[in-house]
Amino acid sequence: MKSFTIATVSGGKSVPVGPEHPLLLLAGPCALESGELGWRIATEMKAICERLGISYVFKASFDKANRTSLDSFRGPGLRNGLRQLDRIRQEVGVPVVSDVHETSQMDLAVDALDIIQIPAFLCRQTDLLVAAAKTGKTVNLKKGQFVSPWDMQHAVEKLRAAGCDRILLTERGASFGYNNLVVDMRSLPVMRSFGCPVIFDATHSVQLPGGMGGSSGGQREFIPTLTRAAIAAGIDGLFMEVHPDPDNALCDGPNSIPLNEVETLLEQLLAIRETVQKVTDNLAN
């Protein structure tokens, strides 16, 4: 499995990712509700990750274009959202990642984002993947809820053929009947076999898509259970939607983890990761 360094926008600190590197964490609110809230979450998450020795990247969507209902909150939009993300990146001193939904957004996104994220619903969109690859950025490609882990190799090959050699693959659960997702932990080693670091999306994996009628529900009480299992199975990073008040979040609150619960969970996960690594090393020797 290939490790690499996530190059950042000029002035930022590069971030190594892979089995022999610190755990990578992409975390923040689902949608960028305001610059001030994003700044607060980024600042607190950066401090937590520095205490724990975790590599941190701030995530938030500037335009959540796939909400359940037409009147759902989507974020500040392309230009305003990218300005806010760029401010957080510079003032807090953290790399940033955000969803890009259209090829026409790439030219602006490339100047503000350190990682281009392809949403799960769009993981097969060839033109979007090619455009993301040609930015020269690291690409975080989320596995579609409707795609098998082995079929993600085709999407990886699209990115590589277009020149991208820094690819993260993110598991976020598979559709299971109506309004529900399940996580098949076999997908983690399968996608790792493609030579890409694998990220586990701890919070979208407990989402109940459309489960509240006009919006999605979630079962955030299962975030620790699934995340501990993913760490034990072997991953290179985590993706989490974090909010100081999830019950009043404007997007994906039911499956977001409260900000004040993150550090305790991360401490548990690092202990599991260390134990698994020791066992693996002993077996190898």
Side-chain angles (χ1 to χ4, degrees), residues 79-189:
R79 294 179 183 276
N80 186 20
L82 290 176
R83 277 196 296 272
Q84 293 182 30
L85 288 169
D86 189 49
R87 174 180 167 238
I88 290 169
R89 183 180 62 78
Q90 295 191 49
E91 294 185 1
V92 182
V94 293
V96 297
V97 56
S98 191
D99 296 307
V100 178
H101 293 79
E102 301 176 16
T103 56
S104 61
Q105 297 174 336
M106 290 294 178
D107 286 346
L108 290 175
V110 72
D111 291 331
L113 304 181
D114 300 287
I115 302 175
I116 303 289
Q117 180 164 289
I118 303 298
F121 284 126
L122 301 174
C123 70
R124 292 167 56 98
Q125 294 298 107
T126 301
D127 289 347
L128 186 62
L129 296 180
V130 170
K134 289 184 175 179
T135 64
K137 298 284 184 176
T138 296
V139 175
N140 181 30
L141 177 60
K142 303 192 80 172
K143 182 175 80 62
Q145 304 90 325
F146 48 89
V147 178
S148 71
W150 43 88
D151 283 337
M152 286 301 290
Q153 184 158 15
H154 304 300
V156 170
E157 289 171 356
K158 291 178 184 178
L159 286 169
R160 286 177 173 157
C164 182
D165 60 357
R166 290 177 292 180
I167 304 167
L168 305 171
L169 290 175
T170 296
E171 167 62 69
R172 58 144 302 163
S175 295
F176 184 74
Y178 299 120
N179 307 121
N180 202 2
L181 298 168
V182 296
V183 176
D184 180 357
M185 294 292 169
R186 295 176 298 179
S187 70
L188 304 175

Side-chain angles (χ1 to χ4, degrees), residues 249-260:
L250 299 181
C251 179
D252 280 5
N255 58 275
S256 295
I257 184 169
L259 180 57
N260 63 3

Side-chain angles (χ1 to χ4, degrees), residues 63-74:
D63 179 12
K64 201 72 180 175
N66 55 356
R67 299 299 308 278
T68 303
S69 300
L70 184 62
D71 57 356
S72 296
F73 177 76
R74 292 177 50 161

